Amino acid sequence: GAVVSQHPSRVICKSGTSVKIECRSLDFQATTMFWYRQFPKKSLMLMATSNEGSKATYEQGVEKDKFLINHASLTLSTLTVTSAHPEDSSFYICSANKRVSSYEQYFGPGTRLTVT
Amino acid sequence: AQSVSQHNHHVILSEAASLELGCNYSYGGTVNLFWYVQYPGQHLQLLLKYFSGDPLVKGIKGFEAEFIKSKFSFNLRKPSVQWSDTAEYFCAVNAGGTSYGKLTFGQGTILTVHP
């Protein structure tokens, strides 16, 4: 199998605080992980590509200082939303490649972030 | 930049009806194509994929999709839907040669199947 987990599944935080979301590949090593954001009734939008041991590659329009990504090991990537605001409320989903040369991604269950 | 368009936002069918969900993409080069499904409360799962070869690909749960290069389309089909097929379906494209796994998703189509 190829299982990807996310923690927490739901989080509520106050405006101005930071929140960290973890993405783990449970039964495989993932050199590359991806972070998506899903708006209500809209598609997934790729935010950044997270590479183990190197800096993340952010998509155009995504603030790298606001959405900090760390991929410290082959099984863990974290997304930290810094100084969160209500407009950051969304569903954040991570995915991982099982092999370096693979086009297939395995998705986590997502994290619902609500900023009050 | 590549884009993916799914024609229907919400499709409502009765059990045993046939299904076809449209997907068109805009990218002139080699593409890898995917359909993902998201059941209520669950994470995205791969239904099927096309990389090369036979343009008619079969996936899990009786789904199939046909890649028509001239139409830039990758429509999803199922001859007879079941209530358990109720879910949201996403078409996704990876432009071949770009970073592995970088996907562009369509807007999604919600399928509701009535028993």
Side-chain angles (χ1 to χ4, degrees):
Chain A
V3 180
V4 176
S5 71
Q6 282 184 242
H7 178 80
S9 57
R10 292 176 181 269
V11 58
I12 301 172
C13 70
K14 292 186 176 180
S15 188
T17 63
S18 296
V19 61
K20 180 185 287 187
I21 302 169
E22 293 185 347
C23 176
R24 292 182 185 272
S25 56
L26 298 184
D27 53 358
F28 66 99
Q29 294 184 329
T31 55
T32 305
M33 290 183 171
F34 303 87
W35 287 96
Y36 294 86
R37 183 171 176 177
Q38 187 175 27
F39 294 93
K41 297 185 179 181
K42 291 194 175 182
S43 184
L44 285 78
M45 291 180 56
L46 179 64
M47 299 174 65
T49 302
S50 169
N51 298 296
E52 188 267 337
S54 64
K55 291 183 179 180
T57 303
Y58 290 81
E59 295 300 300
Q60 193 172 11
V62 178
E63 298 175 60
K64 59 181 68 177
D65 294 330
K66 181 166 189 60
F67 298 100
L68 300 178
I69 291 172
N70 183 277
H71 194 156
S73 77
L74 287 172
T75 59
L76 173 64
S77 176
T78 60
L79 168 68
T80 301
V81 183
T82 63
S83 187
H85 288 98
E87 57 265 30
D88 299 325
S89 298
S90 193
F91 196 57
Y92 293 88
I93 303 173
C94 74
S95 69
N97 276 13
K98 198 172 182 181
R99 292 182 296 276
V100 173
S101 61
S102 174
Y103 291 102
E104 296 185 44
Q105 294 183 34
Y106 297 89
F107 286 82
T111 297
R112 173 73 61 192
L113 170 63
T114 303
V115 184
T116 61
Chain B
Q2 62 205 48
S3 65
V4 181
S5 177
Q6 292 181 238
H7 312 305
N8 309 99
H9 177 64
H10 194 178
V11 173
I12 301 172
L13 296 172
S14 298
E15 274 195 319
S18 64
L19 169 72
E20 181 161 2
L21 301 182
C23 172
N24 285 89
Y25 64 92
S26 65
Y27 184 73
T30 303
V31 292
N32 301 302
L33 300 159
F34 304 83
W35 274 98
Y36 284 88
V37 60
Q38 188 171 30
Y39 297 103
Q42 297 189 27
H43 59 276
L44 281 164
Q45 300 173 41
L46 181 66
L47 263 184
L48 49 78
K49 61 185 184 288
Y50 171 80
F51 290 165
S52 63
D54 188 344
L56 183 62
V57 293
K58 295 189 183 299
I60 61 171
K61 305 187 180 186
F63 286 90
E64 65 178 33
E66 184 175 12
F67 170 50
I68 303 179
K69 189 175 181 179
S70 61
K71 294 184 178 180
F72 298 89
S73 70
F74 189 56
N75 292 354
L76 180 71
R77 299 195 291 252
K78 186 170 183 178
S80 176
V81 295
Q82 300 174 311
W83 174 79
S84 57
D85 293 325
T86 295
E88 188 162 14
Y89 294 79
F90 293 93
C91 180
V93 171
N94 167 262
T98 62
S99 59
Y100 290 105
K102 187 172 177 178
L103 293 174
T104 300
F105 281 85
Q107 306 93 319
T109 298
I110 298 169
L111 171 65
T112 301
V113 180
H114 292 303

